[in-house]
Amino acid sequence: MSYKSILILTGAGVSAESGLGTFRDKDGIWTKHRLEDVATPQGFARNPELVYDFYNKRRRDLQSAEPNAAHFALAKLESAIQAKGGEFVLVTQNVDDMHEKAGSQNIIHMHGELNSGLCAVCGWRGEWRVDMEAGTPCPNCAHEGLIRPDVVWFGEFPYLMDDIYERLALCDLFVSIGTSGAVYPAADFVREARLAGAHTVELNLEPSENAYVFNDAYYGPATEIVPIWAAKLAG
Ligand code: OAD
C-alpha cells in the first residue's frame, strides 16, 4: 500500500542501541535520577548545579554517540517517500541528534535538544555543545545564570504542537517507534491519527502502554525491526 503523508514518532528506544539510555526501562535514566530534580523548572530553581551536571554529562555522551541502523533506515525511508512525491515528517521526543547525524531532514524536536541552549530571560535559543554552568552569560542579552538546557521539562509545553497536530490531522500513516507511551501529549498522537483515519503502527521492544490502540505492531530491537519494516514500506 502506498501512503501520501507519513508521520513517524520516535522515543528513547530508537537510540538505545546507540548507547543513549532510555528513561523507564530497568536501569533507565529515571531509575537513577529523580525527574522532579532534573527535569522540572522547580528542580532547576532549587538546584541549578545538579541540573547542569545532569545535562552536561548527557551532552558529553552525545558527542561520541553514533546513529544506529534504525536511524539510518528512517533517513533512507524519508528520501524514498519524498522521491515518490509523498510527505514525511519525523517527530522525535529525543533530545539527541542521532536522526540528524543519520541524514533525516524533516525533523521536529518536540522536547528540545541537548545541543541547544535557552535563555530564561530573553528567550534566545541557539546551538550549545559545551558544558553549561551557573554564571554562563546569554550570548544575546548577556544576563548571567539563566542559560538553561533547551529541553522541555515536565510542566512545560512541548515545541511546535500546532504544526504537529496539523500534520496528524493530514497523515494517512502514523508510526510510533521506541516509546513507552507514558508521556503526554506524545502518547495521544496515535488516537489523533486514528481519528484522522490514518493507519497506525507500533515498532517497539515490547508492547507500549498504548499498544491496544494501534492497527499493527512489530516487536523487537529497533536496529532489527525498523530496517525490515522501512524497506518493505519503501518498496
Ligand atoms: P521511555 O524510556 O519511557 O520508553 C522507551 C521505550 O523504548 C520502551 O517502551 C522500551 O521498551 C523501548 N525500547 C528499549 N530499548 C529498545 C530497543 N533497542 N529497540 C526498540 N525499543 C526499545 O522513553 P520515551 O517513551 O522516549 O521527556 O520517553 C518519553 C519522554 O519521557 C522523554 O522524551 C523524556 C522522558 O521523561 C522529557 O524529559 C521531557
Side-chain angles (χ1 to χ4, degrees), residues 11-13 17 23-24 30 93 111 152 154 178-180 183 204-205 222:
E17 291 160 88
F23 294 94
R24 295 174 182 77
W30 296 152
Q93 298 167 89
H111 288 167
V152 175
F154 288 90
T179 177
S180 59
V183 175
N204 207 34
L205 193 58

Side-chain angles (χ1 to χ4, degrees), residues 10-17 21-25 28-30 35 38-39 54-55 58 68 70 92-95 110-111 151-154 177-184 186 202-209 220-226:
T10 62
V14 78
S15 295
E17 291 160 88
T22 59
F23 294 94
R24 295 174 182 77
D25 291 304
I29 294 172
W30 296 152
L35 72 84
V38 296
F54 174 72
Y55 290 99
R58 291 182 61 200
N68 63 48
T92 186
Q93 298 167 89
N94 298 345
V95 294
M110 63 178 290
H111 288 167
V151 164
V152 175
W153 287 329
F154 288 90
I177 305 177
T179 177
S180 59
V183 175
Y184 289 79
E202 165 161 282
L203 304 175
N204 207 34
L205 193 58
E206 61 198 8
S208 71
E209 294 186 18
T223 56
E224 291 176 20
I225 59 174
V226 176

Side-chain angles (χ1 to χ4, degrees), residues 8 13 16-18 24 35 43 80 82 107 111 120 138 158 168 202 217 231:
I8 310 261
E17 291 160 88
S18 291
R24 295 174 182 77
L35 72 84
Q82 284 174 344
I107 308 170
H111 288 167
C138 166
L168 279 167
E202 165 161 282

Side-chain angles (χ1 to χ4, degrees), residues 103-136:
S104 287
Q105 299 290 324
N106 199 12
I107 308 170
I108 296 179
H109 277 277
M110 63 178 290
H111 288 167
E113 291 180 70
L114 271 177
N115 284 332
S116 177
L118 165 68
C119 176
V121 176
C122 70
W124 173 88
R125 296 174 71 197
E127 186 170 333
W128 201 287
R129 287 178 187 266
V130 295
D131 282 2
M132 258 178 208
E133 52 195 37
T136 304

